[in-house]
Amino acid sequence: SYVLTQPPSVSVAPGQTARISCGGNKFGSKIVHWHQQKPGQAPVLVVYDDSGRPSGIPERFSGSNSGNTATLTISRVEAGDEADYYCLVWDTDSDHWVFGGGTKVTVL
Amino acid sequence: EVQLVESGGGLVKPGGSLRLSCAASGFTFSNYSMNWVRQAPGKGLEWVASISRRSTYIYYADSMKGRFIISRDNAKKSLFLQMNSLRAEDTAIYYCAREYISTKSYYFDYWGQGILVTVSS
């Protein structure tokens, strides 16, 4: 089955930039979506179609997808951005949705 | 306002069965594919199953195939997950999620609040 790899954790100081990577085999053709999940809450979509931003999501959240890696970038990090972040793709070979293992963002 | 509300969770013994429901409101349910996603305690998100708008296409994660059945009733705006032969490792919060089709792909744009299923003797 297809595997998406994310770093388990990222630490960042308030006001700085957090970058979370997501990669997999033959990744280049895949379209990536990102979800944020705060403790005790349901996930929330923060980036869709590699770089789209849903209504209500701050401009500080942006996404990119190049080569074998997709990246979620959180600029000017705030304490409220502390959460787990998951990348998600549709694997056409298996007809499965696949989540990355998640990255815990800690604001120092 | 889009709302997805799960119900039917609870405590069940290993080998038992449980049927989850997800009631949809605030949108035309029959226009969207729907999904179940679960999260074991302290673990990451795991996709469970997907069903297309008219139930034509149904997909399951490998570990759930043959034990779980996803279905929907468009007239009642409801999504279901029949879970059979439950194991301790099926213990998780189960979320329903709407699948939105964009010009480029599709993705989960709305999630329910989740319902806890505990499999234990």
Side-chain angles (χ1 to χ4, degrees), chain A residues 46-82:
Chain A
V46 292
V47 167
Y48 65 90
D49 290 351
D50 294 334
S51 58
R53 192 171 48 248
S55 172
I57 300 301
E59 291 183 5
R60 300 184 297 102
F61 288 83
S62 62
S64 63
N65 187 357
S66 175
N68 289 323
T69 304
T71 303
L72 174 68
T73 300
I74 312 173
S75 303
R76 301 180 300 283
V77 166
E78 302 175 356
D81 299 330
E82 200 162 87

Side-chain angles (χ1 to χ4, degrees), chain A residues 1 31 33 35 37 41-45 48-51 84 86 88 90 92 94-101, chain B residues 35 37 39 43-47 50 59-62 95 99 102-109 111-114:
Chain A
S1 60
I31 297 171
H33 319 290
H35 289 86
Q37 187 181 34
Q41 297 185 20
V44 172
L45 180 71
Y48 65 90
D49 290 351
D50 294 334
S51 58
D84 294 322
Y86 296 90
L88 172 66
W90 173 255
T92 54
S94 62
D95 287 333
H96 283 24
W97 284 104
V98 180
F99 284 97
Chain B
N35 290 262
V37 176
Q39 186 171 36
K43 302 296 185 182
L45 300 173
E46 180 183 24
W47 171 73
S50 174
Y59 305 107
Y60 296 97
D62 295 343
Y95 297 96
E99 190 173 306
S102 71
T103 55
K104 193 174 178 180
S105 75
Y106 25 90
Y107 50 86
F108 301 167
D109 64 341
W111 297 66
Q113 85 287 352

Side-chain angles (χ1 to χ4, degrees), chain B residues 38-75:
Chain B
R38 73 181 185 181
Q39 186 171 36
K43 302 296 185 182
L45 300 173
E46 180 183 24
W47 171 73
V48 172
S50 174
I51 185 167
S52 63
R53 292 176 295 173
R54 295 179 180 80
S55 306
T56 306
Y57 301 101
I58 290 176
Y59 305 107
Y60 296 97
D62 295 343
S63 59
M64 272 67 89
K65 199 167 186 179
R67 298 190 301 125
F68 290 9
I69 301 172
I70 189 172
S71 63
R72 64 190 295 163
D73 185 332
N74 286 343

Side-chain angles (χ1 to χ4, degrees), chain B residues 89-118:
Chain B
E89 54 265 35
D90 294 317
T91 295
I93 295 173
Y94 286 74
Y95 297 96
C96 63
R98 189 179 85 165
E99 190 173 306
Y100 179 84
I101 299 176
S102 71
T103 55
K104 193 174 178 180
S105 75
Y106 25 90
Y107 50 86
F108 301 167
D109 64 341
Y110 284 95
W111 297 66
Q113 85 287 352
I115 191 77
L116 178 63
V117 171
T118 303

